[in-house]
Amino acid sequence: MEYRTLGRTDIRVSEVGLGTWGMGGDRYGRADDAESQRAILRALELGINHIDTAPIYGNGHSEEVVGKAISGRRHEVVLATKVGMFPGGREKFDYSGATVIREVEHSLRRLRTDYLDIYFLHSPDDALHRDDGLEALVRLKEQGKIRATGFSVMSMDEGIPLAMRLIEQGQVDVIQQAYHLLYTLPAKELFPLCQTHDVGVIARENFYFGFLTGTITRETVFDDHDDRRKFSPAFIDAVLARVEKLKFLTEGRTMTQAALQFVLATPGVHGVIPGAMTVSEVEDNVRASGGKPISAGEMAEIMALEARDYDLPPIPPPV
């Protein structure tokens, strides 16, 4: 496993981390808590030290699972969680300073710790952004309850200008941004700006709802606890058509490994947080670290594909 320092912080993360949304049991199908525990412990064994979660992942359940798994091993983990997004839709978002101060205590309790390594505002846009939320993060950092302030950028393009403004103003230590083989826009302006200001970059949504693992087909049936059951046939067909054009990357590596190797080869990116729910998924993800690197020719072809063919329908709204 390779490790990288997050920008101007002194936090070193494994380049392959562990995303735990699926362990909440409310997004990617039913979760087996015992297997989630085994997956987290296997991740630590394999050198993963960066675990990312959020209270909205299973309404706190993912945080509880992570907290139980790392109990007694907290010193081995770079622990990141988020604040501001609550169940119930867009109107339930709250990034106020009072909410940040209140909710950090709930997350600390569920995670069985007295500090967080990174605390992110969870994907606000300009309409929802609150300056006092960022000010609250700074206060928590001064109090030692968090080590770094974070800003999790909205997946959609409208979140990027806000992130860039905050970076230029020096208000954030680490950003978390959706970035994957089907969405490379952040590499054009956002990531170079982060390099200029020495801001840490964690890339999320590396598998684009699992489509970039190569395991989803038109015949895949999602269970009742899986939000992807709401994806229309037209949306699935459009995504799979794009994924098919990326199969040239699987010579000497799996599609999962190709997806992660691409992100890790992008200048400015310090780490990825692919989701995993089982030991085998963790093991497959880890193989991307030190695996066959994406070549300059492959990178150019990926970027050219987006320029020609990035014409996906809108992502279905979250529930």
Side-chain angles (χ1 to χ4, degrees), residues 12-154:
R12 282 184 68 78
V13 294
S14 51
E15 63 179 12
V16 176
L18 175 61
T20 63
W21 193 344
M23 294 180 185
D26 66 339
R27 177 67 171 182
Y28 293 105
R30 293 176 176 84
D32 179 334
D33 287 354
E35 180 64 11
S36 295
Q37 299 280 324
R38 288 190 287 269
I40 293 169
L41 294 176
R42 182 58 174 152
L44 296 179
E45 289 175 1
L46 293 173
I48 288 177
N49 76 343
H50 179 202
I51 299 177
D52 179 86
T53 184
I56 198 172
Y57 301 167
N59 196 21
H61 188 65
S62 174
E63 287 187 329
E64 291 171 346
V65 168
V66 170
K68 183 177 180 180
I70 67 173
S71 180
R73 303 182 67 171
R74 174 67 181 90
H75 63 287
E76 301 177 38
V77 179
V78 173
L79 188 58
T81 192
K82 311 175 187 74
V83 64
M85 189 182 293
F86 299 92
R90 198 68 170 161
E91 71 281 0
K92 296 294 184 180
F93 289 14
D94 183 354
Y95 303 93
S96 66
T99 294
V100 170
I101 297 298
R102 181 187 71 241
E103 292 299 319
V104 73
E105 300 300 333
H106 297 319
S107 287
L108 291 172
R109 174 180 52 80
R110 288 189 290 261
L111 289 163
R112 306 186 185 191
T113 184
D114 58 0
Y115 75 97
L116 300 169
D117 294 285
I118 316 168
Y119 199 33
F120 291 96
L121 294 188
H122 200 171
S123 303
D125 60 15
D126 265 322
L128 296 166
H129 170 58
R130 293 281 297 272
D131 283 335
D132 66 334
L134 279 170
E135 292 167 1
L137 291 185
V138 172
R139 291 202 300 276
L140 292 175
K141 186 177 177 181
E142 292 170 346
Q143 294 167 6
K145 290 190 175 182
I146 68 174
R147 294 176 64 195
T149 60
F151 190 85
S152 180
V153 187
M154 280 193 68

